[in-house]
Amino acid sequence: MDLKKLLQRLSQNHLHIAFPGDSSEEAIEHSVRFNSQAPNFSSLNEEDIQEVILKIQEIEGIDMDICSTIEDDSENFEEWLTPERKQVLNEGYWSNYKNLLSKKGSFSDNVLTTIGLDTDRIISKCGDPDPTKKNGWDRKGLVIGSVQSGKTANYIALITKAADLGYKVIIVIAGRDNNLREQTQKRINDGFIKPKIIINDVKEPVSITDKFDFDAPALERLKFSRDEKPVVAVIKKNTNVLNNVKSYFSSSKLFRDGKINLPMILIDDEADNASINTKYGSDNDDPTRINKDIREILNIFTKSSYIGYTATPFANIFIDPDDKDEMIGGDLFPKNFITRISPPTNYFGPKKIFLDDDPYNSNTIEKITDNEDYIPLKHKKVLEPKIPTSLKEAIIAFYLVNAIFYLRDIFDSKDVSMMINVSLFTSVQEQLKLEITREKDRLDNLLRHNLFLENEDAKNRLKIFEDVFIKYYSNNIKEKWPDIKNAIKKTYLRIEIKSINQESSDPVEYKDGDPKIKAKSYIVIGGHSLSRGFTVHGLAITYILRNTQMCDTLLQMGRWFGYRDGYEDLCKIWMTLNAIDFYQFIAEEVNNIGEQVKQMERLKKSPLEFGLMVRDNPLSLHITALNKMGVGQKRTINVSLSSRFIETTTLPKDKNILKRNFDLSKKLINALSLNQKISVEKHHGLPGLLFKEVSINDIEDFICEFVSRSPLTNPIEPIIKYINDRSDELSSWDVFVTSPRKKSRYAFRNIKVGDISIGTSGRQLIIASDDKIKFANGKISGRYIEKVGLSELAVENEINKWRDQNRLKILKNEIDKDGYPDSIFRVKGRKPLLVLHFIDLFKDTDSLRYSFEDNDFAHATWSISFPPTKKHQEATQYFVNKTWRQMNFFDNLESNELIELKGSDGS
């Protein structure tokens, strides 16, 4: 017990009493040894001390990546969060909240620092609340997190900073159910309104919804007026409540000329749920009620910032970015910024469970195969559910987990829960609660009458508990059955059954670190509330049977994702075989969204350039509800690049991006030149630089960062995936840099890349729209470019083969004997070829250069020739948003048609 007390003491003082602020391994060891000298810990030996040191080093080693952000830089938005302005954060609401998180031990120092940096970045992309700035603003953003990963802590941190910096109205829309609102209200009370730990003496915010939602009496409880203190409302996502909010602010004396001249920030938790306008394309152009209500609230204020938070952003990014109504303002598309926050490294999430590990051979996932006769996947609300054997075993497993918590000395300090989510219907949930209550009474009676007996009959009657232990835990944990059996005596009576739904009045009061409340053991039964936002504390056992086909809804049901420090090895999830397949697919697509955001950040793209593509699912899953797809459409995209030639024939018009492409190309050439000292030579008659044996990593880095607008090379993800899937075949590349020598209107000049002089090519401009430029003839490379990298003999052999196959046509003069296409040089066994071009554009054959006058610039483009592959690849269907279609010319042309137009010979 001394060991546990020492760990608790160090945790309560955030581990570093002796060396505050230093989380190095040496400082942690010094701090542990310093505290172990106290009289209370005299019984500790060296082995005990080493155990505490290792545990704390493990906690403090938890890290978290900085967020990725793409932002709109087309507006005249000035960065306002200067170091001087940030000073107030050290002595206000944020400082108090940060100290609370630190004292609770909720996050390591590294993670707390990252939360601070992330929320600095998010608030800096919102509007400047400085009252001396007269201009109004309307900012909209989206924060993408992970299910059960700490999004609430992030937006509480955000609103504390908003209050410190001068926002006067803070509205948090916390879900659609009362229990979600109440849970969020409690957390905001504890962290912001009435923090349990106060370092800085700041004015308590005015809370309009402390004990009640924004109901009609709230309009009378407190009149809204200009005050130094921020006003906070935590409300349900309900149209009656939202209308009350509108009435409250519009009836204020500050409401003049249809506006309130104060800065307001609105946090929309679960922003993909109910906030989405689902009437796109309908005869009625009016948006859905909740969507309209939120837009009208924003429109009341001259200065408003809207930030949606979600783990499933599909519906948000399918919003039409061009939709705007003069009366209620633009739709909730995150036009100004999209931020992807990362979970800490100890996050127990979709990637870990379904991608990093094999879910079909997992210690965490158990398969349900016996439910149809008891709780069918498809059922109506009149169902009378019964308990299948798999659910009975899951309940017994929860009894075992409670006992193991006791053996690990965390039973008194940690809540522990089991979640049962098998039906959308409240009536079915309540019926199942009765069945499980009867099953629990049976198990409790069995334990009560046999646990304290040592005879053989008692042992046999308790065998169902031992059997579950042997089946699910005996090979994976250090605890043994005799000790667990003894511990059950002290834990089983704490288990309670609760239903979590709109009709339930069951109080669910978790300890959640509150010293005044005892830790709880709950079996919670629910549906929608358990699928959206509600946090089930200490969730160790999950039993889920739901037949929804919506990816976002399924992912939100994964309340088992989160942090399981100290008991991850005890966690069990019972689900069907189909559900395992579904979650694997969803985990891949969520990971894909995060990668797309990271790539767009590297490419300096804005949310309005977010060409989102989400893979369609062969298992009949939908990305989101069809009425949330907005202007999203399905496209068939063929990314089979075997024996294909692709080029970046269309570029962005933005000069900064074009310059970055140019610099990126020079960077690659410089890097390759360090290893291979070569000069411009002719290769099969084509002058240029040829680099051999180039790593696949260099190629991927280059094409990932290069910004193109060509339909077949933007987005780049399918091409990267194709290359990665064939890393054994495509591990080594040839890179050729064209360098024309002839001076003419088609070859203007030389540019310097390091010590190398490279000639530019001339190309005619055919299209110059507002955001893109396209080359004439839809091609870059000249004929025979794909000979490069092959030997003279190999080229001659392929030409002779082609002539033999076309002998009759050549004899009849139907084709020229030298008219062979480049495609014949895409031969098995050759290396893939990347070709770099530096191009000067002209409007017509008589004009001067169209590109910049800067001599140290040319339009950089690239081409790739892929050899044949041994691996088969099908065309893939993707859902794409409006931006992606506009960027890729797909409003009038299907992508598979466009690919056919590209041809197989590079023309």
Side-chain angles (χ1 to χ4, degrees), residues 143-152 270 310-312 340-344 347-350 555-556 558-559 561-563 590:
V143 178
I144 305 170
S146 302
V147 177
Q148 296 289 92
S149 68
K151 294 188 300 299
T152 306
E270 306 296 344
T310 183
T312 47
R340 173 73 167 90
I341 55 176
S342 300
Y347 175 59
F348 186 71
L555 187 63
Q556 290 288 353
R559 312 320 293 176
F561 303 129
Y563 306 98
V590 168

PDB file of all heavy atoms in Angstrom, residues 143-152 270 310-312 340-344 347-350 555-556 558-559 561-563 590:
ATOM      1  N   VAL A 143     -12.657  21.754 -36.217  1.00  0.00           N
ATOM      2  CA  VAL A 143     -11.600  21.032 -35.526  1.00  0.00           C
ATOM      3  C   VAL A 143     -11.941  19.547 -35.569  1.00  0.00           C
ATOM      4  O   VAL A 143     -12.997  19.121 -35.097  1.00  0.00           O
ATOM      5  CB  VAL A 143     -11.440  21.504 -34.066  1.00  0.00           C
ATOM      6  CG1 VAL A 143     -10.362  20.689 -33.355  1.00  0.00           C
ATOM      7  CG2 VAL A 143     -11.083  22.993 -34.019  1.00  0.00           C
ATOM      8  N   ILE A 144     -11.048  18.769 -36.162  1.00  0.00           N
ATOM      9  CA  ILE A 144     -11.249  17.329 -36.297  1.00  0.00           C
ATOM     10  C   ILE A 144     -10.409  16.631 -35.241  1.00  0.00           C
ATOM     11  O   ILE A 144      -9.184  16.797 -35.201  1.00  0.00           O
ATOM     12  CB  ILE A 144     -10.832  16.846 -37.703  1.00  0.00           C
ATOM     13  CG1 ILE A 144     -11.578  17.625 -38.790  1.00  0.00           C
ATOM     14  CG2 ILE A 144     -11.084  15.351 -37.854  1.00  0.00           C
ATOM     15  CD1 ILE A 144     -11.054  17.368 -40.195  1.00  0.00           C
ATOM     16  N   GLY A 145     -11.061  15.883 -34.388  1.00  0.00           N
ATOM     17  CA  GLY A 145     -10.355  15.113 -33.370  1.00  0.00           C
ATOM     18  C   GLY A 145     -10.579  13.635 -33.574  1.00  0.00           C
ATOM     19  O   GLY A 145     -10.879  13.176 -34.671  1.00  0.00           O
ATOM     20  N   SER A 146     -10.431  12.873 -32.523  1.00  0.00           N
ATOM     21  CA  SER A 146     -10.693  11.438 -32.554  1.00  0.00           C
ATOM     22  C   SER A 146     -11.738  11.125 -31.496  1.00  0.00           C
ATOM     23  O   SER A 146     -11.870  11.849 -30.507  1.00  0.00           O
ATOM     24  CB  SER A 146      -9.405  10.645 -32.274  1.00  0.00           C
ATOM     25  OG  SER A 146      -8.408  10.966 -33.216  1.00  0.00           O
ATOM     26  N   VAL A 147     -12.494  10.056 -31.703  1.00  0.00           N
ATOM     27  CA  VAL A 147     -13.540   9.695 -30.763  1.00  0.00           C
ATOM     28  C   VAL A 147     -12.934   9.438 -29.379  1.00  0.00           C
ATOM     29  O   VAL A 147     -11.959   8.699 -29.237  1.00  0.00           O
ATOM     30  CB  VAL A 147     -14.296   8.431 -31.246  1.00  0.00           C
ATOM     31  CG1 VAL A 147     -15.334   8.004 -30.220  1.00  0.00           C
ATOM     32  CG2 VAL A 147     -14.959   8.702 -32.586  1.00  0.00           C
ATOM     33  N   GLN A 148     -13.489  10.111 -28.373  1.00  0.00           N
ATOM     34  CA  GLN A 148     -13.080   9.915 -26.980  1.00  0.00           C
ATOM     35  C   GLN A 148     -11.593  10.229 -26.760  1.00  0.00           C
ATOM     36  O   GLN A 148     -10.936   9.577 -25.960  1.00  0.00           O
ATOM     37  CB  GLN A 148     -13.362   8.464 -26.546  1.00  0.00           C
ATOM     38  CG  GLN A 148     -14.830   8.078 -26.542  1.00  0.00           C
ATOM     39  CD  GLN A 148     -15.613   8.752 -25.427  1.00  0.00           C
ATOM     40  OE1 GLN A 148     -16.175   9.813 -25.595  1.00  0.00           O
ATOM     41  NE2 GLN A 148     -15.647   8.120 -24.279  1.00  0.00           N
ATOM     42  N   SER A 149     -11.086  11.236 -27.452  1.00  0.00           N
ATOM     43  CA  SER A 149      -9.647  11.500 -27.371  1.00  0.00           C
ATOM     44  C   SER A 149      -9.301  12.762 -26.604  1.00  0.00           C
ATOM     45  O   SER A 149      -8.130  13.061 -26.406  1.00  0.00           O
ATOM     46  CB  SER A 149      -9.063  11.608 -28.784  1.00  0.00           C
ATOM     47  OG  SER A 149      -9.555  12.768 -29.430  1.00  0.00           O
ATOM     48  N   GLY A 150     -10.303  13.561 -26.207  1.00  0.00           N
ATOM     49  CA  GLY A 150     -10.005  14.797 -25.492  1.00  0.00           C
ATOM     50  C   GLY A 150     -10.444  16.050 -26.212  1.00  0.00           C
ATOM     51  O   GLY A 150      -9.912  17.134 -25.947  1.00  0.00           O
ATOM     52  N   LYS A 151     -11.435  15.928 -27.102  1.00  0.00           N
ATOM     53  CA  LYS A 151     -11.929  17.126 -27.804  1.00  0.00           C
ATOM     54  C   LYS A 151     -12.545  18.115 -26.832  1.00  0.00           C
ATOM     55  O   LYS A 151     -12.394  19.332 -26.984  1.00  0.00           O
ATOM     56  CB  LYS A 151     -12.959  16.727 -28.873  1.00  0.00           C
ATOM     57  CG  LYS A 151     -12.403  15.902 -30.014  1.00  0.00           C
ATOM     58  CD  LYS A 151     -13.416  15.708 -31.125  1.00  0.00           C
ATOM     59  CE  LYS A 151     -14.680  14.999 -30.675  1.00  0.00           C
ATOM     60  NZ  LYS A 151     -14.421  13.637 -30.161  1.00  0.00           N
ATOM     61  N   THR A 152     -13.264  17.603 -25.817  1.00  0.00           N
ATOM     62  CA  THR A 152     -13.905  18.509 -24.855  1.00  0.00           C
ATOM     63  C   THR A 152     -12.860  19.305 -24.091  1.00  0.00           C
ATOM     64  O   THR A 152     -13.004  20.518 -23.892  1.00  0.00           O
ATOM     65  CB  THR A 152     -14.804  17.722 -23.882  1.00  0.00           C
ATOM     66  OG1 THR A 152     -15.729  16.923 -24.627  1.00  0.00           O
ATOM     67  CG2 THR A 152     -15.570  18.675 -22.984  1.00  0.00           C
ATOM     68  N   GLU A 270     -19.923  17.895 -31.783  1.00  0.00           N
ATOM     69  CA  GLU A 270     -20.538  16.943 -32.721  1.00  0.00           C
ATOM     70  C   GLU A 270     -21.160  17.712 -33.892  1.00  0.00           C
ATOM     71  O   GLU A 270     -22.341  17.581 -34.206  1.00  0.00           O
ATOM     72  CB  GLU A 270     -21.585  16.077 -32.017  1.00  0.00           C
ATOM     73  CG  GLU A 270     -21.066  15.352 -30.790  1.00  0.00           C
ATOM     74  CD  GLU A 270     -19.987  14.328 -31.106  1.00  0.00           C
ATOM     75  OE1 GLU A 270     -19.845  13.947 -32.281  1.00  0.00           O
ATOM     76  OE2 GLU A 270     -19.265  13.936 -30.180  1.00  0.00           O
ATOM     77  N   THR A 310     -15.630  17.745 -34.265  1.00  0.00           N
ATOM     78  CA  THR A 310     -16.150  16.423 -34.590  1.00  0.00           C
ATOM     79  C   THR A 310     -15.003  15.455 -34.823  1.00  0.00           C
ATOM     80  O   THR A 310     -13.883  15.861 -35.144  1.00  0.00           O
ATOM     81  CB  THR A 310     -17.046  16.459 -35.849  1.00  0.00           C
ATOM     82  OG1 THR A 310     -17.580  15.158 -36.089  1.00  0.00           O
ATOM     83  CG2 THR A 310     -16.261  16.914 -37.074  1.00  0.00           C
ATOM     84  N   ALA A 311     -15.298  14.180 -34.644  1.00  0.00           N
ATOM     85  CA  ALA A 311     -14.349  13.134 -35.018  1.00  0.00           C
ATOM     86  C   ALA A 311     -14.690  12.565 -36.385  1.00  0.00           C
ATOM     87  O   ALA A 311     -13.900  11.808 -36.954  1.00  0.00           O
ATOM     88  CB  ALA A 311     -14.361  12.015 -33.971  1.00  0.00           C
ATOM     89  N   THR A 312     -15.868  12.906 -36.903  1.00  0.00           N
ATOM     90  CA  THR A 312     -16.328  12.363 -38.184  1.00  0.00           C
ATOM     91  C   THR A 312     -16.746  13.517 -39.082  1.00  0.00           C
ATOM     92  O   THR A 312     -17.929  13.869 -39.147  1.00  0.00           O
ATOM     93  CB  THR A 312     -17.504  11.387 -37.955  1.00  0.00           C
ATOM     94  OG1 THR A 312     -18.453  11.995 -37.064  1.00  0.00           O
ATOM     95  CG2 THR A 312     -17.027  10.091 -37.327  1.00  0.00           C
ATOM     96  N   ARG A 340      -6.699  19.673 -37.626  1.00  0.00           N
ATOM     97  CA  ARG A 340      -6.731  18.273 -37.208  1.00  0.00           C
ATOM     98  C   ARG A 340      -5.864  18.138 -35.969  1.00  0.00           C
ATOM     99  O   ARG A 340      -4.652  18.346 -36.011  1.00  0.00           O
ATOM    100  CB  ARG A 340      -6.183  17.377 -38.333  1.00  0.00           C
ATOM    101  CG  ARG A 340      -5.999  15.898 -37.946  1.00  0.00           C
ATOM    102  CD  ARG A 340      -7.337  15.206 -37.834  1.00  0.00           C
ATOM    103  NE  ARG A 340      -7.214  13.763 -37.764  1.00  0.00           N
ATOM    104  CZ  ARG A 340      -7.084  13.059 -36.638  1.00  0.00           C
ATOM    105  NH1 ARG A 340      -7.043  13.685 -35.469  1.00  0.00           N
ATOM    106  NH2 ARG A 340      -7.012  11.748 -36.666  1.00  0.00           N
ATOM    107  N   ILE A 341      -6.505  17.844 -34.816  1.00  0.00           N
ATOM    108  CA  ILE A 341      -5.734  17.668 -33.584  1.00  0.00           C
ATOM    109  C   ILE A 341      -5.432  16.184 -33.398  1.00  0.00           C
ATOM    110  O   ILE A 341      -6.269  15.319 -33.675  1.00  0.00           O
ATOM    111  CB  ILE A 341      -6.471  18.242 -32.353  1.00  0.00           C
ATOM    112  CG1 ILE A 341      -7.880  17.661 -32.206  1.00  0.00           C
ATOM    113  CG2 ILE A 341      -6.529  19.758 -32.427  1.00  0.00           C
ATOM    114  CD1 ILE A 341      -8.603  18.122 -30.946  1.00  0.00           C
ATOM    115  N   SER A 342      -4.241  15.900 -32.952  1.00  0.00           N
ATOM    116  CA  SER A 342      -3.803  14.514 -32.782  1.00  0.00           C
ATOM    117  C   SER A 342      -4.079  14.047 -31.364  1.00  0.00           C
ATOM    118  O   SER A 342      -4.007  14.840 -30.426  1.00  0.00           O
ATOM    119  CB  SER A 342      -2.306  14.397 -33.068  1.00  0.00           C
ATOM    120  OG  SER A 342      -2.014  14.805 -34.380  1.00  0.00           O
ATOM    121  N   PRO A 343      -4.365  12.764 -31.182  1.00  0.00           N
ATOM    122  CA  PRO A 343      -4.495  12.241 -29.822  1.00  0.00           C
ATOM    123  C   PRO A 343      -3.113  11.960 -29.241  1.00  0.00           C
ATOM    124  O   PRO A 343      -2.143  11.775 -29.982  1.00  0.00           O
ATOM    125  CB  PRO A 343      -5.267  10.935 -30.031  1.00  0.00           C
ATOM    126  CG  PRO A 343      -4.878  10.490 -31.414  1.00  0.00           C
ATOM    127  CD  PRO A 343      -4.651  11.743 -32.207  1.00  0.00           C
ATOM    128  N   PRO A 344      -2.994  11.926 -27.922  1.00  0.00           N
ATOM    129  CA  PRO A 344      -1.719  11.555 -27.307  1.00  0.00           C
ATOM    130  C   PRO A 344      -1.324  10.120 -27.663  1.00  0.00           C
ATOM    131  O   PRO A 344      -2.137   9.327 -28.135  1.00  0.00           O
ATOM    132  CB  PRO A 344      -1.998  11.689 -25.804  1.00  0.00           C
ATOM    133  CG  PRO A 344      -3.132  12.652 -25.715  1.00  0.00           C
ATOM    134  CD  PRO A 344      -3.973  12.381 -26.926  1.00  0.00           C
ATOM    135  N   TYR A 347      -3.303   6.942 -26.623  1.00  0.00           N
ATOM    136  CA  TYR A 347      -4.698   6.842 -27.059  1.00  0.00           C
ATOM    137  C   TYR A 347      -4.983   5.444 -27.595  1.00  0.00           C
ATOM    138  O   TYR A 347      -4.228   4.898 -28.399  1.00  0.00           O
ATOM    139  CB  TYR A 347      -4.965   7.892 -28.133  1.00  0.00           C
ATOM    140  CG  TYR A 347      -6.339   7.837 -28.760  1.00  0.00           C
ATOM    141  CD1 TYR A 347      -7.485   7.981 -27.986  1.00  0.00           C
ATOM    142  CD2 TYR A 347      -6.478   7.665 -30.131  1.00  0.00           C
ATOM    143  CE1 TYR A 347      -8.742   7.950 -28.567  1.00  0.00           C
ATOM    144  CE2 TYR A 347      -7.732   7.635 -30.722  1.00  0.00           C
ATOM    145  CZ  TYR A 347      -8.869   7.774 -29.933  1.00  0.00           C
ATOM    146  OH  TYR A 347     -10.110   7.740 -30.524  1.00  0.00           O
ATOM    147  N   PHE A 348      -6.081   4.876 -27.125  1.00  0.00           N
ATOM    148  CA  PHE A 348      -6.531   3.533 -27.493  1.00  0.00           C
ATOM    149  C   PHE A 348      -7.592   3.723 -28.580  1.00  0.00           C
ATOM    150  O   PHE A 348      -8.776   3.825 -28.294  1.00  0.00           O
ATOM    151  CB  PHE A 348      -7.102   2.876 -26.230  1.00  0.00           C
ATOM    152  CG  PHE A 348      -7.498   1.426 -26.348  1.00  0.00           C
ATOM    153  CD1 PHE A 348      -6.541   0.441 -26.474  1.00  0.00           C
ATOM    154  CD2 PHE A 348      -8.829   1.054 -26.289  1.00  0.00           C
ATOM    155  CE1 PHE A 348      -6.911  -0.896 -26.546  1.00  0.00           C
ATOM    156  CE2 PHE A 348      -9.208  -0.271 -26.358  1.00  0.00           C
ATOM    157  CZ  PHE A 348      -8.251  -1.261 -26.488  1.00  0.00           C
ATOM    158  N   GLY A 349      -7.153   3.830 -29.843  1.00  0.00           N
ATOM    159  CA  GLY A 349      -8.053   4.303 -30.892  1.00  0.00           C
ATOM    160  C   GLY A 349      -8.262   3.340 -32.041  1.00  0.00           C
ATOM    161  O   GLY A 349      -7.764   2.208 -32.045  1.00  0.00           O
ATOM    162  N   PRO A 350      -9.017   3.793 -33.074  1.00  0.00           N
ATOM    163  CA  PRO A 350      -9.357   2.933 -34.211  1.00  0.00           C
ATOM    164  C   PRO A 350      -8.136   2.364 -34.919  1.00  0.00           C
ATOM    165  O   PRO A 350      -8.124   1.198 -35.309  1.00  0.00           O
ATOM    166  CB  PRO A 350     -10.153   3.871 -35.132  1.00  0.00           C
ATOM    167  CG  PRO A 350     -10.651   4.961 -34.262  1.00  0.00           C
ATOM    168  CD  PRO A 350      -9.638   5.129 -33.178  1.00  0.00           C
ATOM    169  N   LEU A 555     -18.597   5.024 -36.167  1.00  0.00           N
ATOM    170  CA  LEU A 555     -17.389   5.445 -35.471  1.00  0.00           C
ATOM    171  C   LEU A 555     -17.733   6.113 -34.150  1.00  0.00           C
ATOM    172  O   LEU A 555     -17.062   5.898 -33.133  1.00  0.00           O
ATOM    173  CB  LEU A 555     -16.572   6.392 -36.347  1.00  0.00           C
ATOM    174  CG  LEU A 555     -15.202   6.777 -35.787  1.00  0.00           C
ATOM    175  CD1 LEU A 555     -14.313   5.542 -35.665  1.00  0.00           C
ATOM    176  CD2 LEU A 555     -14.533   7.812 -36.662  1.00  0.00           C
ATOM    177  N   GLN A 556     -18.783   6.930 -34.146  1.00  0.00           N
ATOM    178  CA  GLN A 556     -19.183   7.601 -32.910  1.00  0.00           C
ATOM    179  C   GLN A 556     -19.658   6.596 -31.858  1.00  0.00           C
ATOM    180  O   GLN A 556     -19.590   6.873 -30.662  1.00  0.00           O
ATOM    181  CB  GLN A 556     -20.294   8.623 -33.207  1.00  0.00           C
ATOM    182  CG  GLN A 556     -19.825   9.833 -33.999  1.00  0.00           C
ATOM    183  CD  GLN A 556     -18.968  10.773 -33.186  1.00  0.00           C
ATOM    184  OE1 GLN A 556     -18.818  10.609 -31.985  1.00  0.00           O
ATOM    185  NE2 GLN A 556     -18.384  11.752 -33.851  1.00  0.00           N
ATOM    186  N   GLY A 558     -18.172   4.052 -31.130  1.00  0.00           N
ATOM    187  CA  GLY A 558     -16.976   3.468 -30.529  1.00  0.00           C
ATOM    188  C   GLY A 558     -16.549   4.176 -29.270  1.00  0.00           C
ATOM    189  O   GLY A 558     -15.447   4.726 -29.200  1.00  0.00           O
ATOM    190  N   ARG A 559     -17.405   4.178 -28.268  1.00  0.00           N
ATOM    191  CA  ARG A 559     -17.059   4.852 -27.012  1.00  0.00           C
ATOM    192  C   ARG A 559     -15.928   4.131 -26.288  1.00  0.00           C
ATOM    193  O   ARG A 559     -15.410   4.612 -25.277  1.00  0.00           O
ATOM    194  CB  ARG A 559     -18.269   4.945 -26.071  1.00  0.00           C
ATOM    195  CG  ARG A 559     -19.569   5.439 -26.658  1.00  0.00           C
ATOM    196  CD  ARG A 559     -19.441   6.572 -27.638  1.00  0.00           C
ATOM    197  NE  ARG A 559     -18.991   7.814 -27.039  1.00  0.00           N
ATOM    198  CZ  ARG A 559     -18.726   8.919 -27.722  1.00  0.00           C
ATOM    199  NH1 ARG A 559     -18.820   8.921 -29.030  1.00  0.00           N
ATOM    200  NH2 ARG A 559     -18.336  10.005 -27.124  1.00  0.00           N
ATOM    201  N   PHE A 561     -13.075   3.708 -27.520  1.00  0.00           N
ATOM    202  CA  PHE A 561     -11.832   4.404 -27.818  1.00  0.00           C
ATOM    203  C   PHE A 561     -11.542   5.397 -26.686  1.00  0.00           C
ATOM    204  O   PHE A 561     -12.448   5.963 -26.096  1.00  0.00           O
ATOM    205  CB  PHE A 561     -11.929   5.157 -29.145  1.00  0.00           C
ATOM    206  CG  PHE A 561     -12.275   4.282 -30.319  1.00  0.00           C
ATOM    207  CD1 PHE A 561     -13.312   4.609 -31.174  1.00  0.00           C
ATOM    208  CD2 PHE A 561     -11.566   3.121 -30.555  1.00  0.00           C
ATOM    209  CE1 PHE A 561     -13.629   3.812 -32.254  1.00  0.00           C
ATOM    210  CE2 PHE A 561     -11.886   2.307 -31.636  1.00  0.00           C
ATOM    211  CZ  PHE A 561     -12.915   2.653 -32.487  1.00  0.00           C
ATOM    212  N   GLY A 562     -10.288   5.633 -26.409  1.00  0.00           N
ATOM    213  CA  GLY A 562      -9.952   6.588 -25.356  1.00  0.00           C
ATOM    214  C   GLY A 562      -8.655   6.228 -24.668  1.00  0.00           C
ATOM    215  O   GLY A 562      -7.697   5.791 -25.306  1.00  0.00           O
ATOM    216  N   TYR A 563      -8.632   6.365 -23.366  1.00  0.00           N
ATOM    217  CA  TYR A 563      -7.410   6.144 -22.591  1.00  0.00           C
ATOM    218  C   TYR A 563      -7.678   5.065 -21.556  1.00  0.00           C
ATOM    219  O   TYR A 563      -8.617   5.163 -20.771  1.00  0.00           O
ATOM    220  CB  TYR A 563      -6.950   7.442 -21.927  1.00  0.00           C
ATOM    221  CG  TYR A 563      -6.799   8.540 -22.947  1.00  0.00           C
ATOM    222  CD1 TYR A 563      -7.804   9.486 -23.139  1.00  0.00           C
ATOM    223  CD2 TYR A 563      -5.683   8.588 -23.762  1.00  0.00           C
ATOM    224  CE1 TYR A 563      -7.683  10.462 -24.107  1.00  0.00           C
ATOM    225  CE2 TYR A 563      -5.556   9.551 -24.736  1.00  0.00           C
ATOM    226  CZ  TYR A 563      -6.560  10.488 -24.908  1.00  0.00           C
ATOM    227  OH  TYR A 563      -6.440  11.437 -25.879  1.00  0.00           O
ATOM    228  N   VAL A 590     -10.756   7.380 -41.827  1.00  0.00           N
ATOM    229  CA  VAL A 590     -10.465   8.439 -40.857  1.00  0.00           C
ATOM    230  C   VAL A 590      -8.980   8.783 -40.903  1.00  0.00           C
ATOM    231  O   VAL A 590      -8.586   9.957 -40.869  1.00  0.00           O
ATOM    232  CB  VAL A 590     -10.883   8.005 -39.436  1.00  0.00           C
ATOM    233  CG1 VAL A 590     -10.320   8.949 -38.388  1.00  0.00           C
ATOM    234  CG2 VAL A 590     -12.396   7.945 -39.331  1.00  0.00           C
TER     235      VAL A 590
END
